[in-house]
Amino acid sequence: DLQESSDSEDEGFLEDDVDAEVLVGPTHFAVRPLRLQDQTLPHICYDGGILHVPLMSGPQCMSLGEAMRLANVRTGQAPLSFGSVLHLNMGKKAPCRPCMF
């Protein structure tokens, strides 16, 4: 029977499954050699001023506000990733980092 075969395959998968770590936000690799907790993202205020907001996202959590700030940096283009945080804070002299969405 197809259903019994499918169920037994699922059970075998669960028994053999190993613990896996799921990362939902950026890791230190996004801003290396600096520290993730020392970085900020620009927030454009209603009066046009720019406020530098400390990063709250990390491997265990992802801030929707930070994802929106990264998306709003370049309107009309693909959103930036956390790998672009150093470029936002240091300009072109910052080292390139891997993309982390």
Side-chain angles (χ1 to χ4, degrees), residues 32-34 86-96:
R32 205 175 210 176
L34 303 177
L86 290 183
H87 288 296
L88 291 173
N89 290 324
M90 300 172 62
K92 294 180 180 182
K93 65 180 181 176
C96 289

Side-chain angles (χ1 to χ4, degrees), residues 36-42 51-55 85-86 88-89:
L36 197 58
Q37 60 267 31
D38 294 337
Q39 301 307 303
T40 63
L41 282 176
L51 178 67
H52 292 277
V53 181
L55 275 183
V85 169
L86 290 183
L88 291 173
N89 290 324

